[in-house]
Amino acid sequence: MHGLAMQPYSARFAKEKLTPQQGDIVIGKESYRADLEEGVLFERGREGVKKYTIEHVLGGKNVYYFLTLFDRGRLQTIPVAYDIEKKQWFDTSASGIRHFPGGERGEAVDWRSSSYTFNTACYNCHVSQLSTNYDPKTDTYQTTWAEPGINCETCHGPATEHNKIAKATAKGQPLPELRIISTKTMTTVQRNDLCVSCHAKANRIATEYQPTDRFFDFFDLVALEDPDYYPDGRDLGENYTLTSWSMSPCVKSGTLDCMHCHTSSGRYRFAQEKFNNACLPCHEDKVRNPAAHTHHAETSEGSKCIACHMPKTVFARMQRSDHSMLPPVPSATLAFKSPNACTLCHTDKEASWADVLVKQWRSRNYQAPFLKRAFLVDMARKRDWTKLSEMLAYIIDPKREEVFATALIRLIPPGQDQEVHRALLTAAKDPSPLVRGAAVEALGRLPSVESLQALVEATGDEYRLVRVRAAAGIASFPKMTVPAAYQAQVNKANDEYLAAITARPDQWTSHHNLGNHLLAQGKAGEAIPSYQTALRFDPQAIPAKVNMAIAHAQRGEVDAAEKTLLQALQLAPDNAAAHFNLGLLRADQSDPQAAEEHLKKAFVADPQMDQAAYNLCIITAKDRIDEAVTWCRKAVDLRPQDAKYAYTLAFYLKEKGDKVEAAKILSTILEKYPRHKDAERLLKELSR
């Protein structure tokens, strides 16, 4: 299947692999039909009939997707795709809608958007030796590749010398030397990194990945902060393999790599009748006597190792196996509605039924640790910090699971809480580059001498991921001086960071990140053009609009900031960040009524936005002290670790006349922060 990851469309291919589309597929106000004989897609709608020539075919294991050529060299995924198993045509975008637990539903992305542009979105994993050849001045592509599909050189490196030696060697004779990279001579880590360079939900930090390169020198991995995963780590949306693979105890043992079960070309190594042999030699007792372990008949599906440890789920018509290899946890299904192997097979049963059985079958409660860490992630996603101390303890626990620890670091907002700060400083020295990268990124939003010291040290890390995250953090401390002895090291890391955020000039996120970098350095005027470029790529990129408005506001360009935020709210009327910043802008314009209105809308859109609650406290305190105290309590409840919120609550309680409660809060602040001068002064005043 690697070699057929992409192939030219032809009438012969259509005849052998496809069945005709039975009826038009209606998407919005247009209808679509693929004509296999002509090799075109017909679009019928408000602008009459349009024809798009089908140029290429993507995929082939579960689904065939098709590409057409747009203007300026863009290869675009057409809006209809073909389900190979069901022999059925379907709406490409609608199949990718996320159905989040609790009934929340995502929205389909328009098929013409950059998300479905092959040149940028599919980047290098469906063709071999691809060169995007994007020209930002003309916004055009001249994309080329050596071969469609994944060829030998993708995994084995350049083969020119290998071919010369082979041609010079007599037929049937062994080659005197290979002159290619052999996967047999790779380490376990190298083989894994080779495969996951495509099979990972990740963000690129450098281009031109080659076999034997290290994954974290070229990519940053998405963890469970992403809602495409359930809190327990099971797949929900469009994921690949590495995030769940990283949780596998078998992988963490250091002895398992992808090519234990698969060939380098992607085929499964074990015959159907010897499926369980993949788990030898480590689990010989269970493979030889599966029924004792599985409580299913030896010849049944339930006694296949992968049935329970690698169950399949479907998203966007594509089947994927859970590569965490973890046991079924039906209690997590009860808590988070995540899938478990038991009820995926026994579809007529409830998770509670499976939960009772696995507790009967196992003398220890093996589900408890999985459930505990999942609850921590779930609470962090909901910004419920009542278990913050447990979250921080988990992050610095030597036995922590790196994917969960990384997710918690990314979800916990860095604040002035010393416990958070200490945990991040500890995590910055974690054995995992993924955890270290997340920790130094968070420290970059927490200015202090200790943070700067940790970031400066991290610019010398052995992994590029950590170095670029450290450089980004240092850039956000423009007024802090880097020691001269480290300046060269920091400059080198900064060059890597700038290369990372500009590596893909055809993506809006690259220009957005560059704008953020410039804004953090106090260069608002230089940041604005970067945000404008990001919005040219994606006019609906709300974060770029909001941050551009902040840049305008910093330059005193109030009208431009206001206009940009209003545009953002036209596109997304419930966007919390846009309402929040417009509320602050209205407050600066001495319009407290409008400021209050937008801040309340921000809080309704995001009930966890502590900054909105805090600013509402300040605004309402002028004439509604009771309401101010209520808002301040909400801010404190959301961020109990923030001493500023607690102090403000104490201050307004004093103003209201609740001096006893105010004194209690101030005493608590001083227990935690003995040097908090404002709290000390106010407590003395109350004592008098």
Side-chain angles (χ1 to χ4, degrees):
M1 300 311 301
H2 279 171
L4 297 173
M6 180 162 145
Q7 54 190 306
Y9 180 87
S10 66
R12 180 179 176 181
F13 168 86
K15 184 177 180 181
E16 293 178 356
K17 303 293 186 182
L18 306 175
T19 57
Q21 189 176 327
Q22 295 302 309
D24 286 8
I25 293 176
V26 178
I27 304 172
K29 296 183 178 180
E30 282 85 28
S31 64
Y32 297 91
R33 180 189 290 268
D35 187 310
L36 303 185
E37 291 185 12
E38 279 196 59
V40 297
L41 174 76
F42 285 99
E43 178 188 74
R44 294 177 175 83
R46 292 163 292 184
E47 300 180 13
V49 179
K50 289 184 178 180
K51 287 201 309 184
Y52 302 92
T53 302
I54 301 174
E55 303 279 358
H56 304 279
V57 184
L58 280 181
K61 187 176 180 182
N62 298 286
V63 173
Y64 285 124
Y65 298 100
F66 306 91
L67 302 180
T68 189
L69 185 61
F70 271 14
D71 60 343
R72 300 195 302 256
R74 283 165 168 74
L75 280 167
Q76 199 74 9
T77 310
I78 70 172
V80 295
Y82 185 77
D83 186 318
I84 294 169
E85 183 181 351
K86 295 182 179 179
K87 301 188 184 310
Q88 181 184 76
W89 292 84
F90 63 93
D91 178 346
T92 304
S93 299
S95 73
I97 294 175
R98 274 69 166 157
H99 299 269
F100 298 111
E104 185 183 346
R105 196 168 182 270
E107 294 182 5
V109 177
D110 188 278
W111 73 277
R112 301 170 190 84
S113 78
S114 59
S115 300
Y116 286 104
T117 301
F118 168 82
N119 316 61
T120 181
C122 302
Y123 194 65
N124 223 19
C125 288
H126 282 268
V127 295
S128 301
Q129 292 82 58
L130 176 139
S131 295
T132 304
N133 294 330
Y134 174 73
D135 184 348
K137 293 180 181 177
T138 59
D139 190 24
T140 57
Y141 291 93
Q142 298 289 334
T143 302
T144 61
W145 53 82
E147 296 178 58
I150 304 304
N151 67 5
C152 306
E153 292 189 352
T154 301
C155 297
H156 297 283
T160 302
E161 292 300 315
H162 172 77
N163 293 342
K164 285 180 182 177
I165 293 170
K167 287 175 181 177
T169 303
K171 187 175 181 179
Q173 295 300 309
L175 302 188
E177 52 183 328
L178 283 178
R179 288 294 181 94
I180 57 168
I181 298 169
S182 170
T183 57
K184 292 179 181 177
T185 61
M186 288 182 178
T187 65
T188 298
V189 172
Q190 285 175 330
R191 282 192 285 268
N192 284 335
D193 284 1
L194 174 64
C195 297
V196 300
S197 63
C198 277
H199 294 273
K201 192 181 186 75
N203 299 307
R204 273 189 176 264
I205 56 171
T207 58
E208 308 302 329
Y209 177 87
Q210 297 295 323
T212 71
D213 282 340
R214 300 185 306 185
F215 181 84
F216 288 116
D217 281 333
F218 289 82
F219 304 93
D220 191 1
L221 183 66
V222 170
L224 307 186
E225 73 282 353
D226 191 306
D228 265 0
Y229 296 92
Y230 289 94
D232 61 340
R234 305 293 183 179
D235 287 321
L236 192 157
E238 183 181 18
N239 301 322
Y240 300 90
T241 305
L242 180 57
T243 301
S244 58
W245 174 253
S246 300
M247 302 178 209
S248 167
C250 304
V251 175
K252 283 189 259 187
S253 72
T255 59
L256 184 68
D257 60 55
C258 307
M259 292 179 201
H260 177 78
C261 297
H262 301 277
T263 65
S264 58
S265 57
R267 293 190 303 275
Y268 192 68
R269 289 187 182 275
F270 299 92
Q272 184 69 24
E273 63 275 9
K274 295 183 178 179
F275 228 75
N276 286 354
N277 284 8
C279 298
L280 293 174
C282 298
H283 303 286
E284 186 170 0
D285 57 330
K286 296 175 179 64
V287 172
R288 301 300 180 213
N289 184 18
H293 177 65
T294 66
H295 295 265
H296 288 70
E298 186 169 331
T299 56
S300 72
E301 283 292 311
S303 277
K304 284 184 178 178
C305 303
I306 62 168
C308 293
H309 292 278
M310 299 183 70
K312 287 185 177 180
T313 52
V314 177
F315 178 76
R317 306 274 183 131
M318 290 185 284
Q319 294 188 12
R320 69 274 174 96
S321 298
D322 183 346
H323 276 68
S324 71
M325 303 178 194
L326 296 173
V329 185
S331 58
T333 307
L334 294 170
F336 312 113
K337 303 189 186 311
S338 58
N340 75 84
C342 305
T343 52
L344 285 172
C345 187
H346 298 275
T347 54
D348 59 330
K349 302 292 187 181
E350 298 291 332
S352 54
W353 164 83
D355 189 41
V356 169
L357 282 179
V358 297
K359 287 175 178 175
Q360 290 175 354
W361 292 346
R362 298 289 178 261
S363 57
R364 65 182 179 88
N365 184 5
Y366 74 85
Q367 298 185 94
F370 299 128
L371 205 59
K372 181 179 178 180
R373 68 191 190 188
F375 268 117
L376 294 178
V377 168
D378 186 54
M379 293 176 76
R381 285 182 178 183
K382 294 173 180 174
R383 283 183 261 185
D384 177 351
W385 308 120
T386 53
K387 299 280 187 182
L388 178 63
S389 293
E390 288 185 37
M391 295 175 191
L392 299 174
Y394 183 86
I395 288 169
I396 62 176
D397 187 337
K399 296 180 180 179
R400 90 284 172 276
E401 208 309 310
E402 64 176 335
V403 171
F404 283 82
T406 299
L408 289 171
I409 291 170
R410 290 172 178 170
L411 288 165
I412 296 170
Q416 296 307 312
D417 187 295
Q418 292 301 309
E419 196 179 357
V420 174
H421 197 188
R422 282 194 296 270
L424 291 175
L425 291 170
T426 302
K429 299 182 183 299
D430 191 274
S432 163
L434 179 64
V435 175
R436 293 202 302 277
V440 297
E441 185 174 20
L443 286 169
R445 299 192 296 275
L446 211 164
S448 71
V449 173
E450 294 83 2
S451 292
L452 182 64
Q453 182 179 346
L455 292 170
V456 168
E457 290 177 6
T459 59
D461 196 275
E462 62 172 315
Y463 284 90
R464 182 173 5 214
L465 169 61
V466 184
R467 297 195 298 270
V468 299
R469 296 292 179 251
I474 291 171
S476 65
F477 299 167
K479 295 180 181 178
M480 299 186 79
T481 304
V482 173
Y486 289 93
Q487 196 62 60
Q489 176 179 299
V490 170
N491 290 343
K492 182 180 177 182
N494 191 59
D495 290 342
E496 289 182 310
Y497 168 63
L498 291 174
I501 61 177
T502 57
R504 298 305 315 278
D506 55 340
Q507 293 183 337
W508 77 268
T509 50
S510 295
H511 301 280
H512 177 242
N513 290 335
L514 180 58
N516 293 344
H517 169 68
L518 293 166
L519 188 62
Q521 289 191 305
K523 299 176 181 178
E526 295 178 44
I528 290 169
S530 290
Y531 292 131
Q532 290 171 333
T533 304
L535 289 165
R536 181 165 56 81
F537 280 109
D538 187 353
Q540 295 187 327
I542 304 300
K545 282 191 176 292
V546 172
N547 288 351
M548 186 166 74
I550 293 171
H552 279 304
Q554 286 187 7
R555 286 171 56 82
E557 298 162 354
V558 177
D559 290 345
E562 180 181 358
K563 181 182 177 182
T564 306
L565 289 169
L566 290 172
Q567 288 173 347
L569 288 170
Q570 277 186 322
L571 291 169
D574 296 327
N575 185 269
H579 275 298
F580 175 73
N581 282 282
L582 191 54
L584 297 184
L585 193 68
R586 293 287 186 248
D588 287 341
Q589 293 172 324
S590 301
D591 187 350
Q593 186 175 348
E596 184 178 338
E597 178 186 343
H598 284 290
L599 289 170
K600 284 181 175 176
K601 286 181 178 179
F603 195 78
V604 169
D606 183 359
Q608 303 296 316
M609 186 179 271
D610 53 276
Q611 310 101 307
Y614 177 74
N615 280 277
L616 281 165
C617 166
I618 302 299
I619 288 173
T620 56
K622 294 175 182 177
D623 56 3
R624 285 162 283 159
I625 192 69
D626 288 346
E627 187 175 345
V629 167
T630 300
W631 282 115
C632 221
R633 284 193 198 280
K634 288 181 179 180
V636 171
D637 289 343
L638 290 168
R639 286 286 299 280
Q641 70 271 29
D642 197 314
K644 178 178 72 174
Y645 292 174
Y647 171 79
T648 306
L649 174 60
F651 179 86
Y652 287 124
L653 282 168
K654 180 194 78 108
E655 295 295 297
K656 185 184 171 185
D658 293 345
K659 297 179 182 179
V660 173
E661 186 181 358
K664 285 181 181 178
I665 293 171
L666 292 167
S667 297
T668 302
I669 294 172
L670 289 168
E671 283 175 15
K672 206 166 189 181
Y673 306 102
R675 297 180 182 178
H676 198 296
K677 298 300 182 185
D678 289 339
E680 187 178 0
R681 275 194 294 270
L682 188 57
L683 186 59
K684 284 181 180 178
E685 183 183 331
L686 284 169
S687 299
R688 286 198 296 272

